[in-house]
Amino acid sequence: VILGDPAYPLMPWLMKPYTGALDTEKELFNYQLSKCRMVVECAFGRLKGRWRSLLTRSDLSQTNIPIVIAACCVLHNLCESKGETFMAGWEVEANRLAADYAQPDTRAIRRSQRDALRIREALKASFQSERGNQ
């Protein structure tokens, strides 16, 4: 699944945290989701800073998008291993530019809510059982 913050719609393929009154299990789920999301956000921030093409709408097929992102990751790691400079301003500018892009219409997304709720509940149960095994 893709991890999102509360602003995103809950979808079977897009998990977001619980909101409102939270019990211990939901708080644990939100904590685990947040830990993972922060790592991803930092990584994508650096990728968008180095590879500006990730800031714009892509006309690639859904099959090719993961390949392009993986290629950007490999090239980024190569640049890092060779000591290529990463300018701090790149990430700041990338975030500023990304804020200008319109978000998709979410009406069609709302129809998948029931499946998404089941998936999130299954993930919450999994996080709870992993906690018990630690």
Side-chain angles (χ1 to χ4, degrees), residues 1 3 15-18 24-37 119-134:
V1 297
L3 309 179
M15 285 296 109
K16 70 181 219 171
Y18 289 97
T24 307
E25 291 178 358
K26 289 179 180 176
E27 285 179 1
L28 175 63
F29 174 86
N30 285 0
Y31 172 74
Q32 296 286 8
L33 192 75
S34 176
K35 268 182 27 178
C36 295
R37 213 179 81 239
I119 292 168
R120 184 167 66 177
E121 287 299 312
L123 286 170
K124 180 183 76 169
S126 172
F127 289 164
Q128 194 64 32
S129 67
E130 287 177 18
R131 183 174 181 227
N133 292 333
Q134 292 178 354

Side-chain angles (χ1 to χ4, degrees), residues 100-116:
D100 293 338
Y101 292 109
Q103 297 299 308
D105 181 8
T106 60
R107 284 177 286 193
I109 291 172
R110 290 187 196 112
R111 285 177 270 200
S112 297
Q113 203 73 5
R114 189 174 50 244
D115 291 339

Side-chain angles (χ1 to χ4, degrees), residues 45-52 76 79-80 83-94:
R46 289 182 65 87
L47 283 176
K48 290 186 299 185
R50 193 179 292 272
W51 312 115
R52 301 291 173 95
H76 173 78
C79 290
E80 292 283 313
E84 181 73 25
T85 303
F86 182 88
M87 304 289 217
W90 291 351
E91 192 170 348
V92 172
E93 185 180 354

Side-chain angles (χ1 to χ4, degrees), residues 33-93:
L33 192 75
S34 176
K35 268 182 27 178
C36 295
R37 213 179 81 239
M38 294 308 293
V39 171
V40 172
E41 284 182 17
C42 289
F44 266 95
R46 289 182 65 87
L47 283 176
K48 290 186 299 185
R50 193 179 292 272
W51 312 115
R52 301 291 173 95
S53 63
L54 296 176
L55 288 171
T56 61
R57 180 172 180 242
S58 175
D59 291 326
L60 296 170
S61 71
Q62 287 182 349
T63 304
N64 290 335
I65 289 174
I67 295 167
V68 169
I69 292 172
C72 289
C73 289
V74 168
L75 291 171
H76 173 78
N77 288 343
L78 226 150
C79 290
E80 292 283 313
S81 71
K82 298 295 182 188
E84 181 73 25
T85 303
F86 182 88
M87 304 289 217
W90 291 351
E91 192 170 348
V92 172
E93 185 180 354

